[in-house]
Amino acid sequence: MLCLTAGALSALLAADAFTLAWTHSIEHVRWEEDWRVVGDRLVLEAARIRGTGAGMEAPAGARLRAGVWHYRPHLPPQSALRLTHSPHAAGYEICRSGCAALAALLPGLASEAVIEISPCR
């Protein structure tokens, strides 16, 4: 189970795995990260970049398949993800069987806010 919070707003998602997706604010290229809940932590399992550009080089070891860079990030398990929601950039999406904007999952979200994703405790 995932908990989404932003200030006094909260939502629960029945998921033990999800993809976090967003579009780069300058290059307008989609990024995707596959996360899994393991106990009280979030584990990053894989990531994809659908192109390259300024400051968006694919990391060492990435493989290009059908125009998409695939790689395995080396990040320790996280207790939470903190994401900045802003009117100056496209919003984050959370994908399971389909994708939904995080802002849509937190009705009343301020135009500028920090959204936290964490395993529910």
Side-chain angles (χ1 to χ4, degrees):
M1 183 79 68
L2 289 176
C3 288
L4 306 178
T5 59
L9 301 175
S10 64
L12 300 175
L13 292 178
D16 59 359
F18 64 96
T19 297
L20 180 64
W22 67 95
T23 299
H24 190 278
S25 61
I26 304 297
E27 296 291 340
H28 305 288
V29 171
R30 186 169 175 90
W31 291 57
E32 298 172 342
E33 295 176 339
D34 297 332
W35 292 87
R36 186 170 43 91
V37 177
V38 178
D40 65 349
R41 297 277 191 241
L42 297 171
V43 175
L44 180 56
E45 295 190 320
R48 292 167 299 289
I49 306 171
R50 298 188 178 276
T52 58
M56 298 179 12
E57 294 75 23
R63 304 275 187 223
L64 184 62
R65 292 193 304 260
V68 179
W69 290 99
H70 295 256
Y71 63 101
R72 172 118 193 206
H74 300 286
L75 183 72
Q78 304 290 300
S79 59
L81 305 177
R82 289 172 191 83
L83 310 168
T84 300
H85 174 72
S86 166
H88 306 292
Y92 289 91
E93 294 180 324
I94 194 162
C95 308
R96 294 166 293 149
S97 57
C99 294
L102 285 179
L105 298 172
L106 294 163
L109 183 67
S111 63
E112 294 185 7
V114 174
I115 300 171
E116 185 172 292
I117 302 173
S118 63
C120 297
R121 295 175 176 88

